[in-house]
């Protein structure tokens, strides 16, 4: 959309949820239309980019071209909900887009980025600002880029930081009131739409809480979507719990039960849409496909775990944080290397391992231990070179000094949330032309989470305690009583051992095409596959055997589509 007589142009991907409030301060005669694009462009015309960014509540990536100043400014939302890739050509031209593939089609990007490859193998996702191609970068969340005369300058406009303990709210009743009011306000803001808005419903706390807020916000009809699995799939089928919750709230419920054969038949389409390799996106791609048949917009509970301490490893870290015995870490790691995965997956062993320092002695180490797929030394051996795998994108910029939990959660925000969850959710939902909104990933909700002390979020039994308490009266009793985590977890570990899946994976990873790329030591690839396929372990601990195989397979499928012949 153009402004100022065509001198300024806005290219915009996303949604500004508070555009109506922002529009109220603008003269109607200056607006090209009543939508959020016209409001955003008018504000940029009047005030410039940097002063406007903190006023926006939404998800966005945009480019602002100003012919008067001969500049192009790129900007991305605070937490990276919407993607933005860019490259600077040898001649100084700026290429940008919301898809890495689109940027490359315009002539950017050369050889495979070895740092990104190592990061993918270690963390399960490429860590921004790297991409899988040298010469193409990902603009970090909360940043803007200014291009002028062939040169670029990158600035941070939003720093994910929480205040110290002086800002914590200690009164329990006030905590619950603030959380209830703040989360409900975010959900209401994310419901702004010209079309019906659905919800992903897994049967767990986060999606149930969103549904409760939607019911309170007033839509006459709520469409809820879930996926389930055939019997004996190896993981719990949470769709029955989701249906029960949907009935509790009076939703129109849509569930699709998936079989191993059905999902295998969809894999080619899934890989065709994959911008960068990732070990964690197929579940969202599948549920997005179901939802897109009925709605154009849906809410997801993504983000609640990262700011409200919902993962199991957060509770394990709390054991380490309280322990006076962390000095035995080296001994515990040696002992762990000698134990079978079935023992290492035992809850008591995990607790002892963390209490004695096996996972490290501070938040950075605890978070890295939890998120590592392949250890750095194994990545180095696999790539036959010193491993350049990083600890994440500019991770020290989000350190918090007053609480180990705040430190850990902010590290999750800058790594796993930004580089895995949000990026994957955008790619997989947009593959089905579904706009996925995440009310928990909101600047005002982030600020609210920063005011809650650690004990309000996490205890040894469960996380997200204050979220649960704030909405207890509107949540189904089975949600309140169940401390377990419910997600769209795929039974990949079992499916991968089935003859059709196993043959597909082995044929791909042992193909001449794969071996000629020369990225990885073929013998070590074979050993990783044998370690999983020869194991009879079907417990959750075997995930550390199956996930590396899945990631190697995904990598080669991605390479075939994006690199063609051996490269």
């Amino acid at each position: 959309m153009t402004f100022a007589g065509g001198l300024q142009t806005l290219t915009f991907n996303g949604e500004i949820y508070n555009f109506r409030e922002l529009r109220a301060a603008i003269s109607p005669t200056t607006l090209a239309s009543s939508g959020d694009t016209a409001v955003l462009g008018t504000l940029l015309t009047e005030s410039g980019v940097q002063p406007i960014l903190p006023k926006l509540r939404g998800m966005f990536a945009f480019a602002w071209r100003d012919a008067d100043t001969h500049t192009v400014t790129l900007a991305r939302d605070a937490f990276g909900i919407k993607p933005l890739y860019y490259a600077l050509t040898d001649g100084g031209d700026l290429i940008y887009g919301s898809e890495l593939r689109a940027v490359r089609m315009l002539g950017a990007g050369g050889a495979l980025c070895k740092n990104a490859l190592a990061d993918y193998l270690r963390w399960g996702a490429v860590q921004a600002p790297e991409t899988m191609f040298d010469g193409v970068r990902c603009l970090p969340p909360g940043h803007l880029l200014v291009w002028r005369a062939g040169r670029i300058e990158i600035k941070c406009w939003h720093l994910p930081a929480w205040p110290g303990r002086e800002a914590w709210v200690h009164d329990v009743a006030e905590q619950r009131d603030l959380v209830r009011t703040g989360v409900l306000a975010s959900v209401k803001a994310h419901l702004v739409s010209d079309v019906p808005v659905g919800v992903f419903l897994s049967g767990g706390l986060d999606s149930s809480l969103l549904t409760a807020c939607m019911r309170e916000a007033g839509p006459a009809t709520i469409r809820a979507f879930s996926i389930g699995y055939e019997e004996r799939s190896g993981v719990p089928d949470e769709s029955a719990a989701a249906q029960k919750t949907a009935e509790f709230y009076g939703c129109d419920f849509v569930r699709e039960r998936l079989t191993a054969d059905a999902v295998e038949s969809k894999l080619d389409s899934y890989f065709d849409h994959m911008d960068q390799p990732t070990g964690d996106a197929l579940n969202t791609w599948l549920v997005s496909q179901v939802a897109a048949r009925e709605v154009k917009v849906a809410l997801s509970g993504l983000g609640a775990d990262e700011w409200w301490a919902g993962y199991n490893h957060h509770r394990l870290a709390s054991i380490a944080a309280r322990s006076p015995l962390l000095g035995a870490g080296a001994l515990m790691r040696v002992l762990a290397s000698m134990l079978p995965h079935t023992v290492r997956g035992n809850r008591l062993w995990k607790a002892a391992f963390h209490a004695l320092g096996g996972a490290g002695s501070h938040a950075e180490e605890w978070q890295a231990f939890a998120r590592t797929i392949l250890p750095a030394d194994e990545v180095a051996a696999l790539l036959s070179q010193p491993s350049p795998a990083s600890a994440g994108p500019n991770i020290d910029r989000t350190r918090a000094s007053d609480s180990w939990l705040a430190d850990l959660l902010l590290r999750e925000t800058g790594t796993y949330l930004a580089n895995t969850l949000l990026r994957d959710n955008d790619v997989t939902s947009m593959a089905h032309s579904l706009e996925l909104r995440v009310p928990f990933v909101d600047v005002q909700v982030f600020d609210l989470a920063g005011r809650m002390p650690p004990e309000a979020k996490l205890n040894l039994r469960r996380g997200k305690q204050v979220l649960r308490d704030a909405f207890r009266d509107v949540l189904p009793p089975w949600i309140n009583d169940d401390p377990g985590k419910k997600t769209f977890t795929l039974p990949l570990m079992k499916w991968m051992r089935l003859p059709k899946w196993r043959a597909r994976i082995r044929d791909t990873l042992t193909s001449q095409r794969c071996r000629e790329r020369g990225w990885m030591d073929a013998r070590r690839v074979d050993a990783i596959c044998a370690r999983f396929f020869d194991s009879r372990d079907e417990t959750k601990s075997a995930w550390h055997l199956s996930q590396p195989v899945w990631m190697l397979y995904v990598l080669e499928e991605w390479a075939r589509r994006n690199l063609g012949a051996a490269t």
Side-chain angles (χ1 to χ4, degrees), residues 81-386:
I81 303 171
K82 283 295 178 182
L84 183 47
Y85 300 101
Y86 70 93
L88 197 64
T89 69
D90 291 340
D93 293 335
L94 179 67
I95 298 173
Y96 55 89
S98 291
E99 292 184 68
L100 180 61
R101 194 172 300 171
V103 173
R104 292 195 71 231
M105 288 179 70
L106 291 171
L112 179 82
C113 176
K114 296 296 179 64
N115 285 14
L117 175 60
D119 277 345
Y120 167 72
L121 293 171
R122 184 169 183 190
W123 309 110
V126 177
Q127 302 298 297
E130 302 277 13
T131 74
M132 285 297 285
F133 298 98
D134 285 329
V136 182
R137 308 283 278 177
C138 175
L139 186 67
H143 280 64
L144 61 85
L145 177 155
V146 180
W147 175 92
R148 186 197 308 265
R151 297 181 179 274
I152 61 174
E153 180 184 5
I154 298 176
K155 305 175 184 178
C156 176
W157 69 267
H158 181 270
L159 179 69
W162 279 330
R165 61 181 68 243
E166 71 280 355
W168 291 351
V169 176
H170 293 283
D171 181 79
V172 173
E174 186 180 2
Q175 289 173 1
R176 295 173 182 175
D177 181 61
L178 288 171
V179 170
R180 175 87 167 238
T181 302
V183 173
L184 179 59
S186 181
V187 173
K188 286 181 177 179
H190 285 71
L191 289 174
V192 172
S193 175
D194 295 329
V195 297
V197 180
V199 62
F200 288 179
L201 188 57
S202 68
L205 173 64
D206 306 335
S207 59
S208 298
L209 193 154
L210 286 185
T211 309
C213 289
M214 291 176 74
R215 176 53 66 210
E216 187 167 340
T221 302
I222 300 175
R223 295 177 174 88
F225 305 94
S226 188
I227 52 176
Y229 315 110
E230 60 186 353
E231 292 183 7
R232 298 180 297 279
S233 63
V235 299
D237 181 356
E238 308 293 0
S239 64
Q243 181 175 11
K244 188 177 180 182
T245 300
E247 291 171 351
F248 180 86
Y249 291 117
C251 303
D252 289 346
F253 183 66
V254 178
R255 168 178 55 186
E256 182 167 312
R257 289 192 180 276
L258 301 167
T259 65
D261 285 346
V263 174
E264 191 273 337
S265 71
K266 298 173 186 283
L267 287 179
D268 284 326
S269 179
Y270 168 64
F271 292 126
D272 287 344
H273 288 100
M274 186 178 287
D275 233 13
Q276 299 196 83
T278 175
D280 185 26
L282 181 56
N283 52 354
T284 307
W285 190 86
L286 291 166
V287 71
S288 295
Q289 186 178 57
V290 175
R293 297 171 189 151
E294 304 280 340
V295 296
K296 293 297 184 183
V297 182
L299 303 187
S300 165
L302 184 153
D305 292 306
E306 283 70 29
W307 296 346
W308 304 91
Y311 292 116
N312 290 334
H313 72 263
H314 296 158
R315 295 200 296 277
L316 292 171
S318 73
I319 294 174
R322 294 178 171 90
S323 173
L325 306 172
L326 296 179
L331 175 62
M332 293 301 289
R333 288 189 285 273
V334 171
L335 181 59
S337 68
M338 296 164 31
L339 294 174
H341 283 275
T342 49
V343 174
R344 282 182 270 169
N346 181 274
R347 288 184 180 181
L348 291 178
W349 164 258
K350 288 182 179 180
F353 183 81
H354 280 74
L356 295 173
S361 58
H362 52 80
E364 181 177 0
E365 293 181 337
W366 299 330
Q367 199 259 347
F369 178 82
R371 294 301 177 197
T372 291
I373 309 296
L374 287 174
D377 57 349
E378 192 166 348
V379 172
L382 185 60
L383 297 178
S384 301
Q385 63 183 28

Side-chain angles (χ1 to χ4, degrees), residues 161-163 396 398-408 410-411:
W162 279 330
D396 285 336
T398 60
R399 286 195 71 96
S401 59
D402 280 2
S403 162
W404 68 266
L405 181 60
D407 191 357
L408 189 153
L410 289 172
R411 290 177 183 279

Side-chain angles (χ1 to χ4, degrees), residues 426-456:
D426 182 79
V427 171
T428 54
S429 60
M430 292 306 294
H432 302 290
S433 300
L434 179 73
E435 181 181 296
L436 195 59
R437 300 180 179 181
V438 282
F440 285 115
V441 187
D442 175 85
V443 173
Q444 293 183 30
V445 174
F446 176 82
D447 293 342
L448 175 64
R451 298 180 61 197
M452 297 297 118
E455 62 271 15

Side-chain angles (χ1 to χ4, degrees), residues 19-33 35-44 46 52:
F19 78 95
R20 291 193 177 101
E21 294 91 323
L22 296 171
R23 187 175 63 195
I26 301 173
S27 170
T29 59
T30 65
L31 290 170
S33 74
D36 59 348
T37 306
V39 170
L40 175 58
T42 302
L43 291 172
L44 295 174
E46 293 176 351
I52 291 303

